[in-house]
Amino acid sequence: MLVELKLWLKHSQHPLAASLFRYAKAVRNPQIIVIPFVHSTLYLLHHFIKLFFHEVLRVLYYTPLFKSQIKGSKRAMYIYSGMPQILGKLYIECADNVRMSGVSTFCGRASNSMKPALIIGSNVDIGWQNAFSVGHRVIIEDDVRLASRVFLAGFPGHPVDCERRALGESDDDEQVGDIILRRGAWLGTGVTVLAGVTIGEGAIVGAGSVVTKDVPAFTIAAGNPAKVVKQIKE
């Protein structure tokens, strides 16, 4: 009955329905007057409290918990927006001054005989919603920058054959490969890098690109599949 009444109020051409519908919208979404000094002060207080508790959690909880699960010197690590998720068996080694979004996922291939390894160098930025699927190795050298939603696909997780996929079988060894990001490389928002690819030193990969082959050092690559579009250094 309530649904029918709502539909009548919303769609009826009757003047009473239109008036009642406007009244119902006003009741459903009441507004109050903004008092500049009062509400601006409350906003600053709200922002300070939120930032304070965020920093307390970051320093005393998320960062030490995550660092307890990884190896390396890992000095001056800065984790923001929570704690990265680690899935499967995965060896993670991290050097110094790494900045990392807590909204990131690091996954190791379960069917490996050896534990997959994620090696992160110094002064590396790992942005929001990055996802690393580590087949054998993913190596991120010093000074690399990864924007948001970067996907390093070191293994696909499923075989090519559809019948085997339906049975829930894992991917094959020939589908798995290392991914190496050389010193100073920069991957834009939404970049996907497939297994077996090396991004050369100082190279830049444009936003939304899918990298299926190696990118030479000091070049700019873009597209799907990514191709070199510019030389940075001769």
Side-chain angles (χ1 to χ4, degrees):
M1 184 176 178
L2 289 175
V3 174
E4 293 175 353
L5 178 61
K6 180 179 178 181
L7 291 174
W8 178 75
L9 290 173
K10 190 172 183 179
H11 300 292
S12 175
Q13 300 300 316
H14 195 283
L16 178 61
S19 298
L20 289 174
F21 185 66
R22 286 193 297 271
Y23 176 75
K25 287 181 67 176
V27 171
R28 181 183 178 186
N29 185 26
Q31 302 289 307
I32 66 169
I33 297 172
V34 175
I35 306 171
F37 176 76
V38 173
H39 290 102
S40 60
T41 302
L42 285 175
Y43 175 82
L44 292 174
L45 180 62
H46 166 83
H47 186 70
F48 171 78
I49 292 172
K50 183 178 71 171
L51 182 63
F52 174 78
F53 281 104
H54 172 79
E55 287 299 296
V56 169
L57 285 172
R58 182 184 69 81
V59 173
L60 300 181
Y61 188 72
Y62 292 127
T63 301
L65 257 63
F66 182 72
K67 289 174 75 172
S68 72
Q69 301 303 303
I70 66 177
K71 306 297 183 182
S73 53
K74 56 196 173 186
R75 289 186 292 268
M77 174 177 283
Y78 186 89
I79 296 177
Y80 57 94
S81 301
M83 182 173 62
Q85 187 177 32
I86 302 174
L87 302 176
K89 57 179 185 179
L90 181 62
Y91 172 84
I92 301 177
E93 182 178 308
C94 192
D96 303 333
N97 298 300
V98 172
R99 295 163 294 279
M100 183 184 301
S101 169
V103 190
S104 300
T105 302
F106 308 135
C107 175
R109 183 175 182 245
S111 55
N112 280 6
S113 56
M114 297 180 62
K115 182 181 286 188
L118 169 61
I119 311 297
I120 303 171
S122 295
N123 189 32
V124 170
D125 282 351
I126 297 175
W128 178 73
Q129 280 194 342
N130 275 211
F132 302 164
S133 294
V134 184
H136 299 311
R137 295 184 308 160
V138 168
I139 299 175
I140 303 173
E141 295 187 350
D142 297 350
D143 306 327
V144 167
R145 298 290 183 267
L146 305 178
S148 61
R149 301 195 305 277
V150 170
F151 180 31
L152 305 183
F155 69 97
H158 304 284
V160 174
D161 182 80
C162 63
E163 293 182 357
R164 292 178 56 205
R165 281 201 305 274
L167 294 173
E169 294 186 22
S170 182
D171 47 25
D172 299 314
D173 289 340
E174 57 266 24
Q175 296 174 267
V176 181
D178 295 345
I179 294 175
I180 302 174
L181 310 182
R182 295 296 186 193
R183 182 185 182 95
W186 174 22
L187 276 58
T189 300
V191 168
T192 296
V193 181
L194 300 188
V197 167
T198 295
I199 309 294
E201 181 179 359
I204 299 172
V205 181
S209 299
V210 178
V211 188
T212 61
K213 296 180 180 180
D214 292 353
V215 175
F218 302 110
T219 60
I220 299 176
N224 181 8
K227 297 179 181 179
V228 174
V229 296
K230 186 175 181 180
Q231 190 82 25
I232 300 173
K233 291 184 180 181
E234 297 296 336

